[in-house]
Amino acid sequence: MLSELWRADICAPRLRGDWSPENKTLGQCSITAFLMQDLYGGKVYGVPLDDGNFHCFNVVGDCVFDLTSEQFGDVVLHYADCPEQLRETHFAKEEKRRRYELLKARLFARVEAMRIV
């Protein structure tokens, strides 16, 4: 369902020019990870990237899941010993909080539309 909701308008601004329908997960990691945390609990962690940013993923219990890893193609990401990512830090950026709210609204609207059918 998320793959139908990810669009360029909620991609991280620094990556928006590279976003495409063929790579829908590009720039969607943190907003997706925090939304999944809302739904499933757990914690959000970040794989350190060469550019100083983090690629966010979820850990719930003993399960590690990364819904946006496709953006890295064949690159193997290492999920061990990654720092926890806090929503307060990420959402200190107003634009990121707005992108998260838009993704959340799209998801809940889609779920509601499915319930009506």
Side-chain angles (χ1 to χ4, degrees), residues 48-68:
L49 301 175
D50 292 339
D51 66 2
N53 289 297
F54 292 91
H55 170 68
C56 294
F57 65 95
N58 297 83
V59 176
V60 178
D62 293 334
C63 182
V64 173
F65 66 100
D66 183 350
L67 298 179
T68 61

Side-chain angles (χ1 to χ4, degrees), residues 2-115:
L2 283 169
S3 67
E4 297 171 10
L5 305 176
W6 288 317
R7 299 186 194 133
D9 65 337
I10 59 171
C11 176
R14 65 186 170 80
L15 300 171
R16 201 165 284 157
D18 295 324
W19 187 91
S20 71
E22 292 75 36
N23 192 1
K24 291 180 177 186
T25 62
L26 182 68
Q28 310 285 342
C29 71
S30 63
I31 63 174
T32 300
F34 287 114
L35 181 54
M36 292 302 101
Q37 183 183 45
D38 290 347
L39 297 172
Y40 300 106
K43 293 186 178 186
V44 174
Y45 292 91
V47 175
L49 301 175
D50 292 339
D51 66 2
N53 289 297
F54 292 91
H55 170 68
C56 294
F57 65 95
N58 297 83
V59 176
V60 178
D62 293 334
C63 182
V64 173
F65 66 100
D66 183 350
L67 298 179
T68 61
S69 62
E70 292 176 14
Q71 66 185 293
F72 297 102
D74 294 332
V75 173
V76 176
L77 298 172
H78 300 282
Y79 299 105
D81 300 319
C82 293
E84 184 175 357
Q85 302 296 296
L86 302 176
R87 101 180 28 230
E88 295 79 14
T89 303
H90 281 264
F91 293 168
K93 296 178 183 176
E94 181 65 18
E95 62 80 18
K96 187 177 285 192
R97 188 195 58 74
R98 283 195 308 267
R99 291 186 296 114
Y100 159 83
E101 293 291 343
L102 184 53
L103 178 61
K104 183 177 180 178
R106 286 179 182 166
L107 178 63
F108 285 106
R110 178 65 57 93
V111 168
E112 185 62 27
M114 292 172 63
R115 289 176 37 182

